[in-house]
């Protein structure tokens, strides 16, 4: 069900240069996904590309043409630009605790894809997520309460842990199961709540996929059962 990275690139590819409107136009959803897989493999193997970030800042001062958009947690250890080895102007980074989805996040994704030309959306979770643990423990704390309520459906959906005494943050397996379910629910939520993105994906202009970052190894595992990139694959959306 999951598609994990298995190859390590031996050298930097041509897409390491700052993206332009011309290069962005040649990127397909599948190619954007491949770029991210290659970048993560470089990160895991400490083969990060050397970039002149000041030059990239100069080259993108009048416009940006990112090829992908990552919705990830605010966790300080899971910066999308770093774990996918990308430079300035390469990806949009949308960060919110627990990589939950709300109207503002969806609006940002619509801008990224429909207006700015991004070809891929990745909903990225990570291991040992504090927000997921908080939802598992039914934490209530100020405005965080409302955010964690968006994760609660994944907590209730988790069916592999029948013992009520084990359904809390002390049970690592339970936490990780909830995190995975939350990713899948977030992918479905984006499709179900955005007519714009739904039609772009059905037309093959944009792809979407869920993924998870292992904090210990640095590796990102992509959830193959959430890979939606054309009308046929949209049949995988349920709920």
């Amino acid at each position: 069900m999951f598609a994990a990275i298995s190859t390590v690139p031996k050298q930097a590819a041509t897409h390491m240069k700052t993206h332009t409107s011309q290069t962005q136009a040649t990127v397909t959803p599948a190619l954007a996904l491949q770029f991210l897989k290659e970048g993560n493999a470089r990160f895991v193997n400490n083969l990060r590309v050397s970039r002149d970030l000041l030059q990239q800042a100069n080259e993108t001062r009048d416009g940006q043409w990112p090829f992908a958009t990552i919705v990830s947690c605010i966790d300080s250890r899971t910066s999308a630009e770093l774990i996918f080895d990308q430079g300035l102007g390469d990806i949009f980074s949308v960060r919110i605790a627990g990589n939950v989805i709300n109207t503002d996040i969806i609006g940002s994704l619509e801008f990224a894809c429909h207006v700015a030309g991004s070809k891929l959306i990745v909903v990225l979770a990570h291991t040992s997520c504090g927000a997921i643990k908080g939802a598992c423990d039914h934490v209530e704390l100020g405005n965080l309460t409302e955010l964690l309520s968006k994760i609660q459906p994944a907590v209730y959906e988790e069916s592999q842990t029948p013992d009520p005494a084990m359904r809390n943050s002390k049970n690592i397996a339970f936490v990780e199961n909830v995190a995975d379910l939350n990713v899948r629910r977030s992918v479905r939520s984006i499709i179900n709540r955005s007519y714009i993105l739904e039609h772009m994906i059905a037309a093959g202009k944009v792809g979407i996929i869920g993924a998870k970052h292992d904090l210990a190894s640095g590796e990102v595992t992509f959830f193959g059962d959430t890979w939606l990139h054309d009308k046929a694959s949209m049949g995988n959306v349920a709920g």
Side-chain angles (χ1 to χ4, degrees):
M1 297 293 282
F2 295 173
I5 295 168
S6 59
T7 59
V8 179
K10 298 302 182 182
Q11 58 186 7
T14 57
H15 70 274
M16 291 305 109
K17 296 181 179 179
T18 304
H19 274 282
T20 66
S21 59
Q22 290 76 26
T23 62
Q24 186 198 56
T26 67
V27 177
T28 64
L31 186 57
L33 179 57
Q34 185 61 32
F35 286 169
L36 294 181
K37 288 182 177 181
E38 292 172 354
N40 182 243
R42 291 193 302 272
F43 172 74
V44 169
N45 290 278
N46 202 27
L47 296 172
R48 294 184 299 276
V49 171
S50 177
R51 294 180 174 88
D52 186 335
L53 294 178
L54 289 179
Q55 179 181 346
Q56 287 193 317
N58 183 266
E59 291 172 343
T60 58
R61 70 183 186 277
D62 295 325
Q64 58 173 337
W65 297 275
F67 67 86
T69 305
I70 317 297
V71 182
S72 61
C73 184
I74 64 170
D75 192 283
S76 62
R77 300 160 293 180
T78 190
S79 168
E81 289 82 359
L82 294 179
I83 65 175
F84 290 117
D85 189 30
Q86 300 300 318
L88 295 178
D90 289 339
I91 60 174
F92 284 111
S93 183
V94 184
R95 305 192 69 175
I96 185 169
N99 44 272
V100 301
I101 302 301
N102 60 29
T103 301
D104 295 328
I105 297 294
I106 293 175
S108 297
L109 296 177
E110 290 174 342
F111 168 80
C113 296
H114 191 268
V115 179
S118 179
K119 304 302 177 67
L120 176 68
I121 297 169
V122 179
V123 179
L124 180 68
H126 66 90
T127 55
S128 193
C129 178
I132 298 295
K133 290 180 179 179
C136 290
D137 289 340
H138 307 283
V139 168
E140 295 186 4
L141 177 65
N143 291 290
L144 182 61
T145 305
E146 182 177 350
L147 186 149
L148 295 182
S149 71
K150 295 177 173 62
I151 304 173
Q152 285 297 328
V155 176
Y156 298 131
E157 186 178 335
E158 204 276 353
S159 60
Q160 298 183 43
T161 312
D163 183 357
M166 298 296 292
R167 297 178 66 85
N168 56 64
S169 65
K170 294 181 180 179
N171 183 349
I172 296 175
F174 178 65
V175 171
E176 299 309 328
N177 288 342
V178 171
D180 294 351
L181 288 166
N182 186 56
V183 166
R184 291 178 167 85
R185 292 186 62 89
S186 293
V187 169
R188 294 197 300 269
S189 180
I190 291 168
I191 303 300
N192 293 334
R193 295 174 61 180
S194 175
Y195 175 87
I196 291 173
L197 295 173
E198 177 189 5
H199 281 262
M200 292 186 77
I201 293 169
K205 296 178 180 178
V206 172
I208 186 169
I209 192 168
K212 193 175 189 181
H213 172 219
D214 188 314
L215 293 180
S217 69
E219 184 174 10
V220 172
T221 298
F222 291 89
F223 297 0
D225 59 319
T226 64
W227 172 226
L228 309 175
H229 54 95
D230 56 20
K231 188 173 182 179
S233 63
M234 293 290 284
N236 295 334
V237 179

